[in-house]
Amino acid sequence: MSLSTAMHPKPARGCFITLEGIEGAGKSTHIAALSALLCSMGIGVVTTREPGGSPIAERIRALLLDSSNTGMDETAELLLMFAARAEHLSKTIRPALESGAWVLCDRFTDATYAYQGGGRGLNPERIALLETLVQGDLRPDLTLLFDLEPALGLERARGRGTADRFESETLHFFDAVRAVYLERAHASPERYRLIDAAAPLSDVGEQADQALRALIETRRGETADASGEGEHL
Ligand code: TMP
């Protein structure tokens, strides 16, 4: 260990938490409360979103969501998602995690499997190749899946104003998106927490809160074991 490392030990990597679900599931409403919970426990937090989350990635987002971009090639859409993700990872997510902050991200690669894989019908093996290329071995520590019937989600989302390029998709598209989310959640129960997003707002908040508290407790236990001390994250 170098002298500077000994004097300024590297902070433990922060946890990477993603929120997923179809439109109208309420992720954006709950992310602020989750961020406040982390802050109240003295944990640094960065709240971000995909596509977007860094200046260039936000420009790619505008292209992807613009409903006047009709007939976008599906592979082009997939590559734009990962181009935005590469920027987001290098400018926002990795620096935050390395500084010890926890990252709360509104959508990540599970959305690519669900929307481009399920909704557009692209081959998930190709998505997996891009995932490895862009992310290396970085995967979320916890994914909160806000699940609800697409008809209800779309009714909520469309009530918010003009539909973007994805919100203009059919119910059939969102049924396929939801099915892939649920398949992935069942395949990786250690990473996913399924949240009933059709429940009253306060219950949904409580479910999300509990999932986050469980991760904080696990992290505290691991950190205490590693350092031989208690409490520090
Ligand atoms: P939102 O931020 O308002 O939820 O909009 C983002 C849209 O982009 C949403 O409809 C889901 C879609 N999306 C994908 O299709 N693939 C992805 O990988 C991501 C991150 C989002």
Side-chain angles (χ1 to χ4, degrees):
M1 188 189 293
S2 70
L3 184 59
S4 66
T5 317
M7 290 170 67
H8 301 288
K10 213 173 158 214
R13 175 188 169 281
C15 285
F16 182 30
I17 300 157
T18 58
L19 287 78
E20 297 283 358
I22 59 161
E23 342 297 287
K27 295 172 286 90
S28 317
T29 308
H30 296 290
I31 204 165
L34 296 175
S35 169
L37 173 64
L38 289 170
C39 287
S40 74
M41 294 180 145
I43 301 171
V45 55
V46 170
T47 301
T48 187
R49 67 172 179 186
E50 287 214 346
S54 70
I56 293 174
E58 286 291 329
R59 293 180 73 177
I60 300 173
R61 175 189 174 89
L63 262 177
L64 281 162
L65 297 198
D66 185 346
S67 55
S68 69
N69 286 333
T70 50
M72 184 183 293
D73 178 83
E74 288 159 356
T75 303
E77 179 180 284
L78 174 68
L79 293 171
L80 284 171
M81 288 294 175
F82 273 105
R85 186 159 298 135
E87 269 294 313
H88 188 207
L89 280 165
S90 72
K91 303 293 181 346
T92 307
I93 297 178
R94 287 190 192 279
L97 293 175
E98 277 155 28
S99 77
W102 288 34
V103 173
L104 287 175
C105 188
D106 188 341
R107 302 191 185 282
F108 194 62
T109 305
D110 288 295
T112 313
Y113 283 100
Y115 284 77
Q116 282 64 53
R120 303 277 187 239
L122 294 181
N123 183 341
E125 286 174 16
R126 295 204 169 159
I127 300 175
L129 284 175
L130 291 167
E131 181 179 34
T132 303
L133 174 73
V134 169
Q135 295 166 222
D137 58 7
L138 181 71
R139 299 290 180 278
D141 297 294
L142 171 68
T143 298
L144 305 179
L145 174 56
F146 291 77
D147 178 59
L148 88 169
E149 285 288 335
L152 178 56
L154 283 183
E155 190 184 308
R156 287 184 186 170
R158 287 177 181 157
R160 293 193 298 237
T162 325
D164 66 31
R165 206 169 61 81
F166 290 98
E167 288 164 351
S168 314
E169 284 296 339
T170 61
L171 199 53
H172 177 71
F173 176 92
F174 287 103
D175 281 336
V177 170
R178 183 192 191 199
V180 171
Y181 269 139
L182 289 173
E183 264 170 35
R184 291 179 64 76
H186 289 130
S188 305
E190 67 297 341
R191 170 163 74 90
Y192 273 95
R193 291 294 169 276
L194 193 59
I195 292 181
D196 174 12
L201 202 64
S202 60
D203 291 4
V204 178
E206 185 56 31
Q207 294 174 62
D209 199 274
Q210 275 179 16
L212 184 57
R213 283 179 192 276
L215 178 65
I216 294 168
E217 282 313 308
T218 308
R219 202 42 169 357
R220 283 208 160 126
E222 287 168 4
T223 313
D225 287 349
S227 66
E229 301 165 13
E231 290 303 291
H232 302 289
L233 282 168

